[in-house]
Amino acid sequence: MSASVSESEGQIGKPEEAPVVTIRRTVAAPLTHVWEVLVSDAGAEALLGAGARFGGKGDPYHCTDGVSGVLRSYHPLEQLRVSWHETPDSPPSIVEVDLRDEGGTTVLDLRQDHLSTVSDVNALSARWTAALDAVAGHAVRAAPAAEVAALQPA
């Protein structure tokens, strides 16, 4: 049996407003499992980039491509929020991932805001879409067979 990931929903803020990027994924794996994957080393790298590791709230992270930030909020099974600097000199934006159970599957909602009006929101949307695809892929591949079987219709 296999688990699946739903198609993405992406949205970019209206031109007259400060840019916002939102991406949604539904993962056919239980919330607890998806959370464990998200906060693992593999999940941190999938979300933020190679080299990223989550410590405790207030701890910095650094990626090999120069992306860096700080873990701002850590609410187990509910939310992860980080500041995100694309380069060491760039202003920070905020990336928040909210998780919720939906009938035994897990919905991941990512929102990036506090973006500059010159931010390339199309590139950021593509980046976060790929990141959530990677997190979801790790979760589906690593899901215990019994948990995946429980999600399949009888």
Side-chain angles (χ1 to χ4, degrees), residues 23-59:
I23 307 294
R24 173 172 290 164
R25 279 287 174 283
T26 300
V27 184
L31 175 65
T32 302
H33 174 70
V34 175
W35 174 261
E36 289 169 354
V37 168
L38 179 63
V39 299
S40 71
D41 290 349
E45 285 198 357
L47 182 65
L48 298 171
R53 299 288 181 269
F54 293 124
K57 185 177 175 182
D59 286 345

Side-chain angles (χ1 to χ4, degrees), residues 12-21 86 91-93 112-122 124:
I12 299 170
K14 297 177 184 173
E16 66 274 6
E17 300 173 359
V20 173
V21 175
E86 190 166 17
S93 62
Q112 183 179 23
D113 55 16
H114 300 287
L115 293 166
S116 150
T117 56
V118 297
S119 295
D120 184 346
V121 291
N122 291 319
L124 290 170

